[in-house]
Amino acid sequence: GEVTQQQAGRLSLTGPLSLAYRLCLWSRLASRVLLPIHRVEQPWQDERDIAEELYQAALAFDWSLIFSPASTFAIRLHTERGVKVNAQFATLRAKDGVVDAFMDACGRRPSIDSKHPEITLHVSAGLREHVFSLDLSGDSLHRRGYRQAMTEAPLKENLAAALLMAAGWPHPDWQTLIDPMCGSGTLLIEALMMSTQRAPGLTRRFGFLGWSGHDAA
């Protein structure tokens, strides 16, 4: 893959579908892998109704090309700095746009499932454009699938992996790793997974499984 843009907390790449699958399965640091599928430029104006813009943007796309109306979905909204909108209402209007687009395209509507959706759409509301992306990862990638309970101050798994990488782990000359602040063992588990080259995404479900463009083979 080729890196096309690097921003704080975000890396944009181009590459084949297999690259996206490898990122979902193997990335120890990423939180989400997003596939942009619908962009709508917005002309600048002083008085704006961002929620209505998101509704119209969602309505203008045929979502039946992306997933089936038999699937459940959820909207996750991100607003750029300077975008003034009620996030809860804007999320609702974006959802309405997707549902109405389904009704226009095939006369059926998908159901909403905010906790365990089969499809997650990530909506970025910006000053110049709104971008709708398919969340290929589904739930955040830091959720590896092995944590059985939460401690009082849990360390996110991808943050633990980042700390280990910054410390130089794994290293051929190091035989022992000691975690004096061990709570639920996240640092040690992540270190062991890195040392044994175990993919962090082996035991989790991904968001691309309900996508019409998913290549199961």
Side-chain angles (χ1 to χ4, degrees):
E2 179 183 351
V3 176
T4 57
Q5 190 177 26
Q6 188 169 353
Q7 300 170 285
R10 178 178 300 183
L11 197 64
S12 298
L13 306 97
T14 58
L17 181 59
S18 58
L19 173 62
Y21 289 155
R22 285 200 302 272
L23 285 171
C24 287
L25 180 64
W26 280 101
S27 179
R28 301 185 190 279
L29 305 184
S31 293
R32 299 188 180 278
V33 178
L34 306 176
L35 176 66
I37 53 179
H38 180 44
R39 295 177 181 270
V40 177
E41 294 186 1
Q42 294 297 145
W44 176 258
Q45 50 187 345
D46 291 334
E47 296 296 327
R48 297 178 64 181
D49 187 338
I50 299 294
E52 187 59 26
E53 288 178 7
L54 292 177
Y55 172 79
Q56 294 296 335
L59 185 63
F61 189 79
D62 185 357
W63 295 100
S64 66
L65 299 173
I66 304 300
F67 64 101
S68 164
S71 300
T72 59
F73 83 102
I75 297 283
R76 305 285 186 241
L77 179 68
H78 167 78
T79 57
E80 289 184 4
R81 182 177 298 177
V83 174
K84 298 179 181 179
V85 67
N86 181 297
Q88 186 174 2
F89 182 65
T91 301
L92 180 64
R93 290 301 285 157
K95 178 214 69 174
D96 289 343
V98 173
V99 169
D100 289 349
F102 262 103
M103 292 299 294
D104 291 344
C106 53
R108 296 176 59 197
R109 54 163 292 166
S111 298
I112 310 299
D113 187 338
S114 59
K115 292 187 176 181
H116 303 289
E118 294 172 279
I119 291 289
T120 301
L121 298 177
H122 183 278
V123 180
S124 178
L127 294 172
R128 299 294 183 181
E129 69 172 358
H130 304 318
V131 182
F132 291 72
S133 301
L134 175 66
D135 191 338
L136 298 177
S137 43
D139 206 354
S140 176
L141 288 175
H142 83 270
R143 294 188 170 94
R144 314 290 204 215
Y146 61 72
R147 188 184 294 278
Q148 298 298 310
M150 297 291 284
T151 56
E152 288 187 5
L155 179 65
K156 282 190 174 181
E157 290 79 353
N158 55 348
L159 177 56
L163 291 171
L164 289 161
M165 288 183 183
W169 182 271
H171 192 283
D173 296 335
W174 298 348
Q175 302 298 319
T176 303
L177 178 68
I178 299 174
D179 179 9
M181 303 174 290
C182 184
S184 58
T186 305
L187 275 169
L188 299 178
I189 294 171
E190 290 295 318
L192 186 59
M193 291 173 65
M194 292 164 70
S195 296
T196 57
Q197 297 184 329
R198 177 185 170 88
L202 276 181
T203 59
R204 53 165 288 138
R205 184 191 179 279
F206 296 108
F208 54 69
L209 295 176
W211 173 38
S212 299
H214 173 48
D215 187 336

